[in-house]
Amino acid sequence: MKHSGSFCIQCLALVFILMKTVVCASGLSVDQEKNFQEAIRAGNRDKVVEILSLGGDELRRKVLFSSAYYLQLTARFGSSDLLLYFVDQFGLKENRESLSEALVVAIDNQSFDEVAATLIDLGADPAHEFSGMTALGRLACLYAGKREKKQGMLKTARLLLRKNANVNLFDETGETPLMAAVRGDDPDLVKLLLAHGADPHLTNKDTASAFTLARPGSVVAALLEREKQCGGAHGGQQPDPRHRRHE
């Protein structure tokens, strides 16, 4: 009996050691994933590579399982170089939907013009809607009228429009890119959008159009008035009927 009791104690000790090992390993895995996310938010490519290497197959499986989220995180905070590394490591070049969603998120990046261009080169669709927003709509909403972002904004807007972004699509707030550009009192962006078929007659949920949103006597108001006299849109894309009004 004494021998049997000793054996049981040894078994319990072994079970305790195994459980402690599993808990520690689980905690280490959680910490690695958290550190991985923080490295992405910091835009630290070297740290991302290091953590991914230390995390081994388990961390890779977790990241791959949530690859759309991590791609968006990288597009939001990372550089083009980090983005390319991530896409290559997890084989996301053929995942156009995830790339297109990341494109919308990338507009919030401090280096949005470079990151957006990289995503488009990888095959992201500029016309894609994500969370009620398109890349063009988000661009106009965030940067219209911001002098420090003007060159990057116009460069990105031209690229998105050249790649068939929908210039007349309403976003989740019920406004088009042109309305956002008018609200920002940005004549350069307004002129660009009008040249690509933006319709100034469309109205938001408050029945306000680009004409009524324009500041009286502004350059933007003059551009819209000239457009009105010329007969409206320049024959560009027609808006999707589902998005013409937000009652």
Side-chain angles (χ1 to χ4, degrees):
M1 288 291 292
K2 188 179 291 186
H3 179 74
S4 176
S6 175
F7 178 75
C8 288
I9 291 173
Q10 289 176 355
C11 287
L12 287 171
L14 181 60
V15 169
F16 176 76
I17 291 171
L18 289 171
M19 288 177 64
K20 188 175 181 181
T21 301
V22 169
V23 169
C24 288
S26 176
L28 181 63
S29 175
V30 170
D31 286 343
Q32 284 176 335
E33 191 170 10
K34 181 181 178 182
N35 291 339
F36 185 67
Q37 293 173 2
E38 289 176 351
I40 292 175
R41 286 191 173 92
N44 191 332
R45 185 187 187 280
D46 292 340
K47 196 66 177 176
V48 167
V49 173
E50 178 188 342
I51 295 170
L52 198 56
S53 176
L54 291 173
D57 291 340
E58 184 178 357
L59 180 57
R60 282 182 171 274
R61 280 194 297 270
K62 285 189 174 184
V63 174
L64 188 59
F65 182 76
S66 303
S67 60
Y69 163 74
Y70 279 103
L71 182 59
Q72 290 166 30
L73 194 67
T74 306
R76 171 64 181 84
F77 295 102
S79 62
S80 291
D81 186 47
L82 178 56
L83 182 68
L84 288 169
Y85 170 78
F86 186 84
V87 169
D88 181 64
Q89 284 293 305
F90 293 96
L92 301 176
K93 290 181 181 178
E94 303 303 319
N95 193 334
R96 197 179 189 206
E97 182 175 358
S98 290
L99 291 170
S100 300
E101 291 174 352
L103 176 60
V104 179
V105 176
I107 301 302
D108 287 61
N109 193 306
Q110 288 296 310
S111 302
F112 64 88
D113 51 339
E114 296 175 4
V115 177
T118 298
L119 283 163
I120 290 173
D121 285 343
L122 287 169
D125 178 12
H128 187 81
E129 286 183 83
F130 179 59
S131 295
M133 189 74 69
T134 64
L136 183 62
R138 185 66 177 160
L139 187 76
C141 183
L142 285 179
Y143 305 119
K146 305 288 177 61
R147 291 184 180 179
E148 69 278 10
K149 297 291 185 180
K150 179 174 285 293
Q151 294 307 313
M153 177 195 67
L154 292 174
K155 176 184 174 183
T156 303
R158 291 187 189 100
L159 177 59
L160 292 170
L161 291 164
R162 193 164 64 245
K163 296 292 184 176
N164 299 318
N166 190 332
V167 75
N168 285 313
L169 198 64
F170 287 87
D171 63 22
E172 62 180 354
T173 68
E175 297 203 339
T176 64
L178 179 61
M179 292 175 189
V182 170
R183 282 188 184 278
D185 199 23
D186 195 315
D188 291 323
L189 184 57
V190 167
K191 189 183 299 185
L192 178 64
L193 293 172
L194 289 173
H196 282 81
D199 187 347
H201 298 280
L202 296 177
T203 58
N204 62 17
K205 60 185 178 181
D206 298 318
T207 68
S209 69
F211 295 111
T212 53
L213 292 172
R215 181 169 57 86
S218 65
V219 175
V220 166
L223 283 170
L224 291 170
E225 184 59 31
R226 190 181 311 153
E227 180 75 5
K228 189 176 184 180
Q229 292 174 0
C230 291
H234 289 284
Q237 302 157 285
Q238 291 302 309
D240 187 327
R242 295 173 299 170
H243 300 277
R244 286 191 64 86
R245 295 288 186 274
H246 288 253
E247 303 298 342

